[in-house]
Amino acid sequence: MAASLSVEKSLTQARQAAKKQDWLTAVTLNQAVLERFPKNKKAAKALAEMRVVATEGLFQRAQVAEQQDDWPAAITHLRAAFYLAPTHPQVACALAKCLLEDDQAVEALKVCDDILAISADLPRALILRGQALHELNRPDEAVQVLEKARVLTPDDTIIYRLLGAVAQSQGELETAEQHFEAGLQVDPMDVGLLRHISVVKRKVDASDPLIAQMRQAIAKLGKDNPRSAYVQFALFDLLHKCKDHAAAFSHLQQGNALLAKTTPYDFRSEAIAGAYAKSLFPEPIPESGTEPDTRFIFVTGLPRTGTTLTERILARDANVQACGELNILRAAVIQQMQTLQAKGQAQLSAQDIQALRDLLLSEFDSLSDGRPVMVDKMPLNFRWIGFIAAALPEARIVHMSRDPRAVAWSLYRQVFKGRAQGFVNSFDDIARFMIYHRDLMQHWNKVCGDRVFDLGYGALVNEPIASTKALAEATRLTWSEDWLTPEKATNHVRTASAVQVTQPVYKDSDQGWRVYEAELAPMLKALTTAGLI
């Protein structure tokens, strides 16, 4: 909008905004003038004059947004601050951190590289760069930069968490445990480390000192402290492995109840977005006149339905790049829907579809390693299947299904990053989300037809040859016996499935909920009432 204003009007509005300490508007307007006319002295002078006070003001407002987990607002203010002060290490690191929280690892890496070009041994920037590399599936580089950071700041437990996470993502569970233990030597009460070590630790008995250590951490934090929730989940993991099921489930309930209270799920916004997405595709989506070669594979479904296992199977093909869970599709679709709503536009035009396609291709190209097929296994992309079918005819869509009881139990026992999966903390919310998922998939199956390939998790693990051959046919890839050993895949796994999928396929996981069948009676009732079982 600023670019459409005359230069004088832009400068006038920028001055007025600066007087009101509306630093974001003031910086944005002057920046727009300089982008059009790089030699404009008035805009350059205005930015120079406000640099110190505006940088501080923008940084403070970003901190407020960050405290509210409003990452887009925090990023917007920090980008403006970074534009004003590109050599300010605190601003650069804050921006990189928020970008990582918002799943924008590519830009976060660039910000880290920019600041490290000025200050090569800045520990915080090195740590954030390591995290960005980890999230971009570049584990060897991540370890290298994190080890450099450890030499500089050996007492920073974030380094040990990240080193352990990288090892875990590669299936190196003993190495991961060693990193987490090293971090706990620095800070025995580090909540993140306690949660991580509970996942990878294989040998546990009732006398394990970690159990007492975790109980001490909860007592120190207080049961109502949101951070205690993660320790409750860690205790569940350890006690579950000890087969102390009653105590384990008690901690799991407490952890979920605390998360449900502190981060309630916004079903209204979810339902509105889903209804609007459906309204944009009321009729069957026309197929392209030709059958293009597969370039993208989207593996979708409810979380914990086997999306990671399916990605590992596909990754056994040398031509496939397994990208993990990307935020590209969601960000592009949300941006487009917001634009359409602002215009009062009820239908997608051919130009809208082309614009979405151009954006998606650009984003995917930025992550491509040159292999012809890319896999995005973000489960919640089931919400945008119509957009995939319309904008990317060269994409194949795989939708995972699984026994609802196994899914609900697996969701309830996990801690997920961010609020997008906040529905997992109560049985009623899980059932509600499953109904929403079922309704949306009924619509996509209606308008997309056989462009959506349904793959059952039970069949995948119990009838692997037939299921993987059907998957190969649906994705137009060439099946081989390698598809039967997904545990040998070398792709990076950064999700809760990392421990399971780096091991041989476990065929009885759908029955795991039965150990807690009595405790899960409310969950089973909610699923029954919803008509899901």
Side-chain angles (χ1 to χ4, degrees):
M1 182 174 66
S4 65
L5 298 174
S6 70
V7 171
E8 287 305 318
K9 192 168 185 179
S10 293
L11 293 173
T12 299
Q13 290 187 5
R15 284 193 296 272
Q16 292 171 344
K19 288 180 181 179
K20 297 175 183 177
Q21 296 187 351
D22 179 0
W23 304 119
L24 183 59
T25 300
V27 173
T28 301
L29 288 167
N30 281 299
Q31 182 181 2
V33 170
L34 287 173
E35 286 175 353
R36 294 164 64 196
F37 304 102
K39 295 182 180 180
N40 188 286
K41 294 181 179 180
K42 290 182 179 179
K45 181 180 179 182
L47 287 172
E49 289 176 346
M50 72 172 74
R51 179 165 287 115
V52 174
V53 64
T55 299
E56 181 62 27
L58 288 163
F59 185 75
Q60 290 177 358
R61 291 180 190 182
Q63 286 183 307
V64 172
E66 186 178 349
Q67 290 169 1
Q68 300 168 348
D69 290 348
D70 187 351
W71 307 115
I75 289 167
T76 298
H77 285 84
L78 287 168
R79 279 179 178 147
F82 189 57
Y83 175 77
L84 282 176
T87 62
H88 195 306
Q90 192 174 8
V91 169
C93 290
L95 176 56
K97 176 181 180 295
C98 290
L99 287 166
L100 288 168
E101 291 286 353
D102 201 45
D103 297 319
Q104 298 187 53
V106 172
E107 185 180 349
L109 180 60
K110 184 180 184 306
V111 171
C112 290
D113 287 344
D114 287 347
I115 198 66
L116 286 168
I118 299 168
S119 182
D121 292 330
L122 188 64
R124 183 62 177 151
L126 288 168
I127 293 168
L128 289 165
R129 187 173 192 272
Q131 183 179 346
L133 289 166
H134 171 50
E135 296 191 8
L136 290 170
N137 303 329
R138 294 159 61 178
D140 293 341
E141 294 172 81
V143 169
Q144 185 178 13
V145 72
L146 289 169
E147 290 291 3
K148 180 177 180 180
R150 178 159 63 170
V151 171
L152 295 170
T153 54
D155 292 338
D156 193 329
T157 57
I158 295 176
I159 298 171
Y160 299 97
R161 270 185 263 165
L162 286 170
L163 283 168
V166 174
Q168 182 179 335
S169 72
Q170 298 296 292
E172 300 168 0
L173 303 186
E174 290 186 8
T175 301
E177 185 177 345
Q178 290 167 5
H179 284 305
F180 298 143
E181 285 178 342
L184 287 171
Q185 292 295 317
V186 176
D187 182 1
M189 297 291 122
D190 186 291
V191 168
L193 288 168
L194 291 172
R195 172 59 187 153
H196 284 306
I197 199 169
S198 74
V199 174
V200 300
K201 191 174 179 66
R202 313 313 291 166
K203 297 178 181 179
V204 187
D205 59 44
S207 64
D208 195 307
L210 261 180
I211 295 174
Q213 189 173 334
M214 290 180 183
R215 287 178 170 145
Q216 291 172 7
I218 291 173
K220 184 175 181 179
L221 289 168
K223 284 190 174 183
D224 294 331
N225 187 321
R227 297 177 66 219
S228 293
Y230 303 99
V231 189
Q232 298 281 15
F233 277 87
L235 270 170
F236 161 76
D237 281 334
L238 295 186
L239 294 171
H240 174 73
K241 291 169 185 174
C242 294
K243 301 189 185 303
D244 187 352
H245 295 133
F249 194 82
S250 174
H251 286 290
L252 183 62
Q253 275 187 310
Q254 292 178 69
N256 273 298
L258 188 52
L259 288 181
K261 179 181 178 181
T262 54
T263 55
Y265 190 66
D266 184 2
F267 262 105
R268 183 174 181 274
S269 295
E270 182 71 58
I272 290 172
Y276 187 46
K278 286 168 56 178
S279 74
L280 293 171
F281 298 95
E283 302 294 336
I285 300 169
E287 296 191 33
S288 62
T290 60
E291 283 289 335
D293 292 337
T294 301
R295 184 173 176 190
F296 307 104
I297 300 173
F298 291 89
V299 184
T300 69
L302 289 168
R304 309 299 296 167
T305 54
T307 54
T308 303
L309 174 60
T310 301
E311 181 195 42
R312 297 278 287 186
I313 291 170
L314 294 168
R316 296 294 278 145
D317 188 316
N319 292 316
V320 170
Q321 177 186 350
C323 300
E325 297 182 0
L326 301 177
N327 196 43
I328 290 173
L329 182 64
R330 175 190 172 277
V333 170
I334 291 294
Q335 176 182 319
Q336 184 170 75
M337 291 199 302
Q338 289 174 341
T339 300
L340 294 174
Q341 286 179 319
K343 293 178 179 178
Q345 191 174 328
Q347 293 182 329
L348 284 166
S349 67
Q351 291 78 11
D352 294 325
I353 295 297
Q354 186 61 48
L356 177 61
R357 175 178 174 77
D358 291 343
L359 177 58
L360 291 173
L361 291 178
S362 174
E363 292 292 326
F364 278 109
D365 283 347
S366 71
L367 296 177
S368 174
D369 64 6
R371 282 179 280 185
V373 180
M374 301 177 73
V375 179
D376 179 351
K377 73 164 200 77
M378 173 63 78
L380 296 182
N381 277 341
F382 76 80
R383 296 174 293 182
W384 323 121
I385 284 176
F387 295 90
I388 300 172
L392 298 173
E394 64 271 59
R396 312 301 167 199
I397 304 164
V398 178
H399 177 258
M400 304 299 301
S401 60
R402 188 181 180 187
D403 184 327
R405 297 166 297 184
V407 176
W409 166 237
S410 189
L411 290 172
Y412 189 69
R413 62 181 290 185
Q414 300 296 332
V415 178
F416 293 93
K417 176 185 174 183
R419 298 189 177 188
Q421 292 158 323
F423 61 89
V424 303
N425 301 125
S426 83
F427 298 141
D428 288 339
D429 281 352
I430 290 172
R432 287 173 66 192
F433 195 85
M434 284 185 165
I435 294 170
Y436 165 73
H437 163 259
R438 180 183 62 188
D439 176 66
L440 203 49
M441 286 311 304
Q442 287 174 347
H443 180 76
W444 294 137
N445 285 325
K446 178 180 176 182
V447 301
C448 297
D450 59 8
R451 296 161 78 175
V452 179
F453 172 67
D454 287 302
L455 180 60
Y457 176 79
L460 190 61
V461 299
N462 292 302
E463 303 169 19
I465 295 177
S467 296
T468 55
K469 284 185 175 180
L471 175 63
E473 183 178 357
T475 55
R476 293 173 173 79
L477 298 177
T478 302
W479 185 88
S480 74
E481 290 190 358
D482 289 342
W483 288 44
L484 303 177
T485 52
E487 72 276 7
K488 294 182 180 179
T490 58
N491 62 296
H492 210 53
V493 180
R494 295 182 290 107
T495 64
S497 304
V499 173
Q500 295 98 324
V501 298
T502 52
Q503 309 298 314
V505 174
Y506 173 54
K507 295 185 178 182
D508 296 325
S509 60
D510 270 1
Q511 304 303 315
W513 64 273
R514 293 190 183 278
V515 175
Y516 297 95
E517 188 166 0
E519 291 88 347
L520 293 176
M523 179 191 83
L524 299 174
K525 180 179 179 181
L527 296 178
T528 301
T529 300
L532 295 162
I533 58 174

